[in-house]
Amino acid sequence: MPQADWQRTVWCGEVSEEMAGRNVTINGWVQRVRDHGSLVFVDVRDRTGVVQVTCDAARAPEAFAQARELRSEYVVSVRGTVRRRAPDAVNPKMKTGAVEIEPSRVLVLSAAKTPPFYIEENVDADELVRLRYRYLDLRRPDMQRNLVLRHRFVKAVRDWFDAHGFYEIETPMLTRSTPEGARDFLVPSRLQPGSFYALPQSPQLFKQLLMVAGLERYVQIVRCFRDEDLRADRQPEFTQIDVEMSFVTAEDVMTQIEDMIATALRAVGKDVTTPFPRLDFATAMARYGSDKPDLRFGLPIVDVTGIAAQTEFGVFREAVARGGVVRAIVVPPGAALSRKDLDGLAEEARSRGAKGLAWLAFEADGLRGPVAKFVGGAAAALQERLEAPAGSVAVFVADEEAVAAEALGHLRLVLGRRLNLTKDAGDALLWVTDFPMFEWNAHEGRWEARHHPFTSPVEEDLPLLETDPARVRAQAYDLVWNGVEIGGGSIRIHRRDVQERVFRCLGFTKEEAQAKFGFLLDAFEYGVPPHGGIAFGLDRLVMMVAGAESIREVIAFPKTARGGDPLTGAPAPVDPRQLEELGLRVEAGGPAARAAGRGRNGTA
Ligand code: ASP
């Protein structure tokens, strides 16, 4: 095809001093126009950057006249000669700041209305407006950088998987309800009125079937859908890096996958060291009060239950007598906690269910604080156990174990922020392993799978399935980065009998299990390799690499917190004829309130 005479010969951001004297054509958007009388400066932007076009009334009257008509965001083609700027006109802040283009022709390809916000870095516009005019928002360099970063990261991920023998295989979007524990998005079937597809919450069962099918190594960068009330960093549709492998142990998955993550991070300029440390769930909860501990800093939680029981402090003694624990965090000297700070920390602890917070200051000449007089002879043992240096302050929670862990885990993060321990602390990636298989849902009075029902229990815990589900450990692992869970997976059950026992534990009758997951159970009768996998939330990963505040900053067309798209107006009512075709009727008074609530579907 012949080149049209307005088409670019060079990108705006790539015009350089070496091109001085050359005739070029640029295409792009008008960033701004500065009219200095007989001189008009036009900055033209494309995705590579900005270059200045300098129009002189005397030297090129026609182009000058054309340039004066330009407005911001007009789409133009400018032909002209590259020249070096006079030394006093060089702009060192601009990549192309040493050059400019003297135009021979300025052509408007498309005019533009005044945009609702400036097309520039760090724009201070309301997010709804940004989303309503997303095509303008995405013109901004920071948004373009994020999308390019996302592309590079995904490319590196795909390259790694390709080099390691994985096949990318698509799985259906219109499918049956899948068991990740959230509410499904449903799609009515026109051809089978009254029946519905569900959009996949993850390709979990399909990727397992691909293992039964002998594909051995599967990956998919895949859109998943979960109809949840959106918390700050969730989207109803999001992207996973979804992986499954055959004939592997948990160890194999972790070793390979950490190489993948480290390689992809390096490809976008983030150097992390492998192997990542491992921490079992019980230790993570005891030491850091979290199953996704932020290990960029220390401040470990220390158990002092035994020593606390020997003090005269009623709160400690009672908690221990009731079977609870006493645990503490030592705040290092120099933190200069005031009474008011300590009251604030107590408030934080209460917000996580603790009844209160006790504190002790370890001074060079003894203990200080309201509890000090009750500690008596236990002071030395306490200080030793806590490894508390002079000048430090220990904060204590005495409560049920789970409450103490949660409250102190929260305080640890609050203190980490307050003491600025995460700043310049580098990156901390780790695996958390050996999760409990089940979680008690007190509300519904039944066990739920903590990961999902296809996760394999640790072999030696199988007998506990019928006797003590609380103690069954799962062959599950999460990858945690700076206190954020970025991925999680497990070795799967590959035996029909074990799968049926787990379903039974979760309260499914044999018939219910067969009705919902019969296709998987049936497949398990035709030769199943031991298999396991993992999935990563891609949006969050890219957000963290980009240093962005929200996943919406790394998604081209995200939804608002209410699941809406201000650009297209989705979701929207549909034509009554469409409903009729589907055999559906919308009841007056809005969505059926009675329909809310998680059924058995959402087991895991
Ligand atoms: N399907 C799981 C999820 O989406 C991940 C996995 O077990 O591979 O969370």
Side-chain angles (χ1 to χ4, degrees), residues 34 57 108 140 146 177 191 196 370 372 382 388 414 444 471 527 562:
R34 278 157 298 146
V108 174
R140 300 190 301 106
N146 287 352
S177 177
L191 296 175
F196 294 81
L382 196 58
V414 170
E444 294 179 23
R471 284 179 42 220
R562 295 199 56 226

Side-chain angles (χ1 to χ4, degrees), residues 408-424:
L408 284 167
H410 175 63
L411 281 187
R412 184 177 169 270
L413 295 180
V414 170
L415 285 164
R417 270 195 300 274
R418 249 194 74 116
L419 305 178
N420 242 330
L421 299 181
T422 52
K423 204 163 162 275
D424 305 323

